[in-house]
Amino acid sequence: MAILRLRLPFVLLLSCAIAPWAMPSTASATTYYVRTDGGTDEQCNGRADAAYPGSGNNVDCAWSHPNYALPTNDRPRIDGGDTLIIGPGEYMIGWESPGLSTKSTRCDRSSPYDCYPASPPSGTAQQRTRILGAGHDSGCKAPPKLWGTNRVDLVFNLQDADNVEVGCLEITDKSDCVEFHANDDVRCERDAPPFGQWASIGIGAKRSRNVWLHDLNIHGLSGRGVMAGGLRDWTIERVRIHANGWAGWDGDVGEGESSNDGDIVFRNVEIAWNGCAERWQTGEPYACWAQEEGGYGDGLGTGKTDGHWLVEDSRIHHNTSDGLDLLYTDESKTATVVVRRVYAAANAGNQVKTAGNALVENSVIVGQCAYFHKKYDMSDGDMCRAYGNALSIGVGPKQTATVRHNTITGEGDCLILTAGGNATSRVDIYNNALIGQKDVTASDGDMRSCAHYADDSTAVVSFAGNAFWNVKDDMCPPGNVCGREPKIASSDMATFDPAPLAGSPLIDHATQNTSVTSDFLRQSRPMGAAADIGAVEYQGGTAAAVPGAGAAPDASKAASSNASDGSAIDGTSSGAVTPTQSSGWMIGTIAVASLLTAGVAAALRKHRGRKVG
């Protein structure tokens, strides 16, 4: 459902970037360097990875700041197709930072919010413009830090630029504040200097094509980690978007300007703790808020959008509203959504929302919508928004959504909500483990979460090969496994682990044939006489480790993961690769924060009747 979002008063003058599959040519391209011991644009020409020697002009040495390469007069000193390597260390972005242009028409003392670098010049499909941290080719172990100050609107600017690569950077600020926060003690100073060392947005983009963002740690901004819309063919890999005060990724950049097109790919990303302020020195979240208090809080949300969306091998957790909100895909166009091998948990609204033609498979969806109760200053009124349904699926006429091989649990109203469509619309729900919990939004009657609720919808919903356990009214459609304890590693909300144990009725009982040949952990599927129900295929012996939602984040840790496998975006096939865990940060042993399982929202949410089944 639509939400109200407070628009931040900035002029989005951002830039854009790259096609990762287009290998760069070396013809006529120049590599430039920035290092903390470099010189000004007069002292150094930026063409050598060397310190300024202390004397001379136009010396072959590095510039001391990115502003010299991308000055605020919006006339870059690098050309399309060039590479800029930023050395280790910290670089302040905003008013009073080195290298601000004296000829800028947007940046001066009276408008410090506009003192962000120019967008990179466009490259070509054959030779992209590259802005990279040193070490990008050796694991990105110590990315340079770009940090915003003096209420600058953006730290990194991507607008009207195509074919650009941005990688191996940390993007943040050095303030604990949140812009427009309801708490006076948390709210950023915007009206009079000194404003403090805060920035509103990490990366901003508009009208941008063929961009590759990778190996980025975007955290602690007072507004959004990323605010980007009007995109075409963007790929985001190994990116962490953490603890940004308004939202993680906000795709609503203005009416008529926000729709995206082409392939929009998120792979091996972590989007977490957004809607919370961040203690910039420790990474601790605090002052979490959402819409009841005037905030926002989505992990990823968009305006009305087209495009082919793929989100895979990713963790989306502890955001203060919805986790992954792709409910606004344009049903009148060709938009598609594929959610594959995603772990979504402890978001305060819905965990995953899609619309239109969609596929959700091999994912673990844990609807811990009341996680924030009495934690991190969060208002109880902001928990279990939209009744806390774990998975929300919207369809239009002649559209099909498929939900297969997932493990879904939740303490909200229902595990799966379907909405919209008519008799020509289909929702196929196959081979899922649907495990109910105590419904914290219920005030009377059966206090368990329901397995499925059709919200003003006549779409045809089919169930086959699923397992139903502990759900409202003991829902049990024919052709499914019902009333048998699933015997997984842990059914408790605090330690939920969907791995089947020996003797589980999930093993070999997925009766609906699908093209899915691997599981959430990229293990081969099936391993026995038939595929298993749920996201994890039993391999025999000890159950594989499955991730839990992390405890309080550490801002010093950037996302890291293995390379992608190039799975098809259309969702027609999910062929197995060599079985391997998809990433260390995603599946490794993670301390699981204590999750509230009952008794929070009975007085906060009006109980309603449901059409179940």
Side-chain angles (χ1 to χ4, degrees):
M1 62 183 65
I3 61 173
L4 296 177
R5 303 178 186 175
L6 180 60
R7 305 301 307 153
L8 301 187
F10 73 94
V11 178
L12 196 58
L13 294 174
L14 327 161
S15 169
C16 111
I18 161 183
W21 54 87
M23 296 303 293
S25 164
T26 57
S28 70
T30 302
T31 298
Y32 292 90
Y33 298 90
V34 168
R35 8 187 315 167
T36 56
D37 57 2
T40 68
D41 58 307
E42 293 183 353
Q43 294 167 337
C44 297
N45 59 25
R47 297 189 178 211
D49 187 10
Y52 178 57
S55 63
N57 288 332
N58 199 31
V59 178
D60 285 339
C61 54
W63 293 313
S64 65
H65 196 279
N67 282 338
Y68 293 115
L70 302 168
T72 54
N73 64 5
D74 296 313
R75 295 181 180 179
R77 291 189 174 94
I78 65 174
D79 293 324
D82 287 345
T83 296
L84 178 68
I85 303 295
I86 302 174
E90 298 187 1
Y91 301 89
M92 184 174 76
I93 304 296
W95 179 247
E96 298 181 327
S97 62
L100 294 180
S101 173
T102 59
K103 298 180 180 179
S104 175
T105 60
R106 60 176 168 85
C107 169
D108 56 34
R109 186 178 297 276
S110 65
S111 53
Y113 40 82
D114 281 336
C115 293
Y116 48 83
S119 63
S122 293
T124 67
Q126 294 72 38
Q127 187 165 294
R128 58 192 180 238
T129 305
R130 307 167 76 212
I131 313 295
L132 302 169
H136 67 94
D137 52 355
S138 58
C140 190
K141 297 176 182 177
K145 178 185 291 187
L146 309 183
W147 62 276
T149 190
N150 282 312
R151 64 163 295 196
V152 68
D153 275 347
L154 313 171
V155 177
F156 201 94
N157 176 10
L158 287 174
Q159 174 173 303
D160 294 317
D162 304 331
N163 306 308
V164 176
E165 174 184 356
V166 181
C168 194
L169 299 171
E170 180 181 359
I171 297 174
T172 187
D173 65 16
K174 292 187 177 183
S175 172
D176 297 346
C177 76
V178 171
E179 197 166 12
F180 303 109
H181 199 282
N183 185 335
D184 292 345
D185 294 333
V186 180
R187 188 183 308 124
C188 299
E189 173 58 56
R190 301 184 73 256
D191 298 329
F195 300 108
Q197 296 179 330
W198 64 272
S200 184
I201 296 168
I203 295 178
K206 235 182 184 182
R207 300 181 299 272
S208 175
R209 299 185 303 170
N210 297 330
V211 172
W212 184 23
L213 304 180
H214 64 89
D215 303 288
L216 302 176
N217 183 12
I218 305 167
H219 65 95
L221 282 306
S222 72
R224 280 80 166 165
V226 178
M227 193 162 189
L231 314 176
R232 183 183 181 95
D233 295 329
W234 271 47
T235 297
I236 299 95
E237 295 182 298
R238 302 181 302 277
V239 170
R240 178 180 187 261
I241 305 174
H242 230 253
N244 300 287
W246 273 79
W249 182 293
D250 187 350
D252 186 356
V253 298
E255 187 174 354
E257 300 181 288
S258 298
S259 184
N260 308 287
D261 204 355
D263 294 341
I264 311 295
V265 178
F266 288 79
R267 182 178 289 123
N268 282 301
V269 301
E270 182 182 23
I271 304 175
W273 296 94
N274 296 290
C276 296
E278 180 189 67
R279 300 288 187 189
W280 74 270
Q281 293 177 305
T282 66
E284 177 190 3
Y286 84 108
C288 299
W289 67 321
Q291 294 174 52
E292 291 292 322
E293 300 295 321
Y296 177 20
D298 273 6
L300 184 152
T302 71
K304 192 171 185 179
T305 181
D306 199 4
H308 304 296
W309 292 77
L310 170 63
V311 183
E312 67 179 4
D313 297 312
S314 297
R315 296 179 66 228
I316 302 172
H317 61 95
H318 292 97
N319 299 288
T320 64
S321 190
D322 297 326
L324 176 63
D325 186 356
L326 291 174
L327 191 62
Y328 303 102
T329 51
D330 193 339
E331 295 177 357
S332 68
K333 297 187 178 179
T334 59
T336 59
V337 175
V338 175
V339 177
R340 178 182 292 132
R341 295 185 301 273
V342 166
Y343 184 87
N347 301 291
N350 303 141
Q351 307 305 309
V352 175
K353 298 165 79 170
T354 71
N357 293 303
L359 170 66
V360 180
E361 73 174 16
N362 274 339
S363 294
V364 178
I365 300 174
V366 185
Q368 304 147 332
C369 60
Y371 168 80
F372 285 95
H373 179 59
K374 295 185 178 179
K375 296 184 181 76
Y376 304 106
D377 308 304
M378 184 84 157
S379 164
D380 278 354
D382 271 320
M383 282 175 283
C384 297
R385 177 183 172 272
Y387 290 93
N389 299 295
L391 174 63
S392 178
I393 300 288
V395 288
K398 299 182 180 179
Q399 293 181 331
T400 299
T402 300
V403 180
R404 64 190 186 188
H405 285 294
N406 305 285
T407 299
I408 304 173
T409 191
E411 61 188 1
D413 191 24
C414 292
L415 304 183
I416 301 175
L417 172 80
T418 57
N422 56 28
T424 68
S425 312
R426 289 190 58 85
V427 181
D428 295 327
I429 301 175
Y430 298 152
N431 303 338
N432 303 280
L434 303 174
I435 301 171
Q437 303 284 347
K438 184 174 181 179
D439 176 6
V440 299
T441 73
S443 58
D444 55 25
D446 191 333
M447 301 291 286
R448 295 173 294 175
S449 51
C450 80
H452 170 248
Y453 164 57
D455 185 7
D456 192 24
S457 174
T458 57
V460 178
V461 181
S462 299
F463 296 92
N466 305 284
F468 292 81
W469 172 250
N470 194 39
V471 295
K472 184 178 178 64
D473 299 328
D474 296 316
M475 178 180 175
C476 185
N480 297 271
V481 175
C482 303
R484 297 182 63 187
E485 183 179 352
K487 294 184 180 179
I488 59 175
S490 177
S491 294
D492 293 341
M493 292 294 284
T495 56
F496 189 83
D497 186 335
L501 303 176
S504 168
L506 305 180
I507 297 171
D508 295 348
H509 280 91
T511 59
Q512 189 68 21
N513 290 330
T514 69
S515 59
V516 180
T517 56
S518 62
D519 73 352
F520 172 76
L521 297 172
R522 293 183 176 271
Q523 302 168 140
S524 292
R525 186 197 291 274
M527 286 299 291
D532 296 352
I533 297 171
V536 179
E537 186 81 4
Y538 180 69
Q539 304 292 303
T542 303
V546 176
D554 179 353
S556 67
K557 294 180 180 179
S560 63
S561 64
N562 297 334
S564 65
D565 68 344
S567 300
I569 193 170
D570 61 7
T572 57
S573 177
S574 302
V577 297
T578 302
T580 180
Q581 294 182 347
S582 57
S583 67
W585 62 267
M586 179 175 166
I587 350 228
T589 302
I590 299 172
V592 181
S594 175
L595 304 176
L596 183 72
T597 60
V600 176
L604 304 174
R605 300 289 186 227
K606 181 175 67 176
H607 192 63
R608 62 175 180 182
R610 308 182 187 90
K611 175 186 174 184
V612 177

